[in-house]
Amino acid sequence: MRPDGRAAILQGRGGTTSSAAAPAAAAFRLNNRKYLGAKHRLLDFLHEAVLSRVPSPEVFIDGFAGTGVVGEHFRRYADRIVSNDLLYSNYVVNQAFLNSTPRNTDLGRVEELLSALNRLPPSPGYVLENFGGRYFTPENAARIDAVRGGIEELYRGGRCTEQERFLLLASLLYAADKAANTVGQYDAYLKHLGPPEPAAADARGAGRHLVDSNVHKPLQLRLPAVELGEGGHEVYNEDLNALIGRLRGDVLYLDPPYNRRQYVDCYHVLENIARWERPPLYGKTRKFRRAALKSRYSRQAEASRALAELIEAARSEHIFLSYNTEGIIPDEDIAAILERKGRWQVCEREYAVFGNGAGSSRRRMLRERVFYCRARREC
Ligand SMILES: C[S@@+](CC[C@H](N)C(=O)[O-])C[C@H]1O[C@@H](n2cnc3c(N)ncnc32)[C@H](O)[C@@H]1O
């Protein structure tokens, strides 16, 4: 065995040391992460809004898929899902959950590989150098280095399929997110990443966040709770405005960013780990150069135009747009854009949100809205 322990993964039939490996912990689900604007808690609202109008969609396009919870939900009702997101880290997870089939995925092997990866000793590298002592404890940062490198070795060595690689990567992203010293986004990290404080477990103290107890636990990869299905879903990693002309589907669901916070800024650490290009990083928050991943929907001066171009180019008969009352696109613009496309109406639901995404835990009420537009034939 090599001193860094990686040979343990690559040896033997099936490429694992399953006899010695600790079992991977309980499976995780798509909603087991904090993600800005994720629609998990609004699925019943979306379900009703969409299926009361289109009871059995043929192709459901989830154009701004994020965590993928919406596509995963409608997969049970539509013949096919088309999923897309600008971030590769979301693409990986959406591939894992939508396209695992009995032909491309052996869940027993994935579990064994995860167990073997869990047993790798920390291996100091890029993650430790850049994110250790900031977003992760040094030990967990070096574990992420070991696991990320280990996954590529497994894949290059033919020890897992491409689809299984998506599952292993998804597992790493969820594990890293759980162990991160943040409030869920990576545009800042919490200070005082010192030794565990007994009183700090899950703490949200008077006005200041304390370090979550998970931050000090060893990184733990878990099996993704995927359903092996028929596959054949289309998963993309593109700017939806560039992709839309190539997409065909009767239902188009749009959930664009609604404020100025760029998703790539909020999730740059996970995106960096997923891409594994190891670019130079800058500033206190250790971000990579990411101009190409910035969204027009998060720019006040461009968001309305981007939405107008998207809706104009869309070829779907039924368009559903989630956009809450705190969005940067004025209601008059949304109304004018939809008016040009067809007949439209709004469904609304009040719901409570916690915090503003920037560390506050204040509870406030938001009105979540789904705009439904039935496109005219010539559109
Ligand atoms: C509000 S979130 C979607 C949340 C998702 N519905 C869920 O339930 O998890 C918006 C998503 O749009 C993605 N995004 C932003 N601009 C995009 C673009 N131009 N094309 C495709 N995806 C984009 C972001 O990366 C982010 O994941």
Side-chain angles (χ1 to χ4, degrees):
M1 181 156 68
R2 286 179 8 192
D4 65 4
R6 284 196 189 143
I9 307 181
L10 295 172
Q11 279 170 354
R13 275 168 64 88
T16 66
T17 53
S18 55
S19 57
F28 71 88
R29 300 187 179 284
L30 278 179
N31 61 307
N32 294 157
R33 70 179 284 204
K34 285 190 205 141
Y35 194 78
L36 279 177
K39 292 294 173 287
H40 175 65
R41 289 201 302 134
L42 288 163
L43 283 176
D44 59 336
F45 175 51
L46 289 178
H47 178 103
E48 173 63 19
V50 174
L51 296 183
S52 63
R53 293 173 174 90
V54 195
S56 30
E58 279 170 35
V59 179
F60 181 100
I61 304 171
D62 187 10
F64 297 89
T67 57
V69 290
V70 175
E72 202 202 29
H73 179 82
F74 284 99
R75 171 187 176 178
R76 280 175 258 152
Y77 306 95
D79 295 345
R80 194 153 49 85
I81 301 295
V82 175
S83 166
N84 174 62
D85 199 278
L86 197 52
L87 296 186
Y88 180 72
S89 42
N90 291 333
Y91 167 83
V92 161
V93 175
N94 284 302
Q95 277 286 14
F97 276 78
L98 284 174
N99 272 333
S100 293
T101 74
R103 294 177 299 286
N104 61 26
T105 303
D106 175 343
L107 286 177
R109 175 167 54 206
V110 172
E111 195 165 13
E112 286 181 7
L113 293 175
L114 288 173
S115 299
L117 290 165
N118 269 333
R119 291 171 59 84
L120 286 179
S123 168
Y126 179 83
V127 177
L128 174 63
E129 191 184 313
N130 290 293
F131 303 140
R134 294 181 169 102
Y135 296 101
F136 307 104
T137 61
E139 295 74 22
N140 275 338
R143 277 194 187 98
I144 294 171
D145 272 315
V147 171
R148 188 64 188 84
I151 292 172
E152 284 324 300
E153 278 190 38
L154 287 169
Y155 181 57
R156 279 201 305 270
R159 296 298 187 182
C160 64
T161 64
E162 188 184 11
Q163 184 63 26
E164 288 166 349
R165 174 176 171 272
F166 287 132
L167 272 84
L168 299 177
L169 282 177
S171 178
L172 173 58
L173 295 175
Y174 272 69
D177 197 46
K178 194 163 182 200
N181 178 37
T182 64
V183 287
Q185 292 106 46
Y186 299 76
D187 39 5
Y189 46 87
L190 301 175
K191 298 197 178 77
H192 320 298
L193 184 52
E197 296 168 43
D202 285 331
R204 285 182 165 210
R208 102 182 164 98
H209 289 277
L210 299 173
V211 171
D212 188 297
S213 60
N214 285 314
V215 170
H216 290 285
K217 291 183 188 153
L219 184 89
Q220 171 91 70
L221 303 173
R222 298 189 288 155
L223 188 68
V226 298
E227 272 174 42
L228 298 187
E230 286 301 305
H233 303 290
E234 291 171 41
V235 185
Y236 297 95
N237 174 212
E238 294 190 38
D239 178 337
L240 186 62
N241 281 57
L243 178 67
I244 193 75
R246 283 176 276 142
L247 296 183
R248 294 289 175 270
D250 46 341
V251 175
L252 173 63
Y253 172 62
L254 302 172
D255 186 16
Y258 64 88
N259 65 22
R260 282 189 213 83
R261 302 188 68 202
Q262 289 284 352
Y263 276 78
V264 67
D265 290 350
C266 297
Y267 301 104
H268 67 99
V269 171
L270 299 180
E271 184 69 6
N272 195 344
I273 292 170
R275 289 173 173 262
W276 207 231
E277 291 155 351
R278 287 170 279 189
L281 304 180
Y282 302 91
K284 249 189 177 168
T285 54
R286 313 306 291 148
K287 293 192 178 85
F288 60 95
R289 291 206 193 284
R290 58 205 180 288
L293 297 178
K294 298 233 170 163
S295 177
R296 291 168 74 201
Y297 293 89
S298 293
R299 293 189 170 125
Q300 181 93 58
E302 294 177 46
S304 286
R305 178 107 299 272
L307 183 67
E309 289 167 7
L310 181 67
I311 300 275
E312 194 184 336
R315 289 291 161 265
S316 302
E317 184 181 348
H318 305 281
I319 300 174
F320 295 87
L321 166 70
S322 281
Y323 212 73
N324 75 29
T325 41
E326 293 188 337
I328 60 178
I329 303 181
D331 281 1
E332 310 81 74
D333 289 12
I334 298 179
I337 291 165
L338 297 180
E339 193 67 43
R340 287 198 288 275
K341 192 72 179 175
R343 284 207 325 262
W344 64 277
Q345 57 191 200
V346 196
C347 324
E348 294 193 340
R349 146 100 58 108
E350 280 228 323
Y351 82 115
V353 290
F354 294 88
N356 56 8
S360 153
S361 54
R362 201 164 49 89
R363 179 178 189 270
R364 66 190 200 288
M365 295 308 286
L366 267 192
R367 233 176 331 131
E368 185 65 31
R369 300 173 307 177
V370 177
F371 295 83
Y372 167 62
C373 178
R374 176 120 192 212
R376 279 189 295 275
R377 269 187 200 287
E378 67 273 21
C379 293

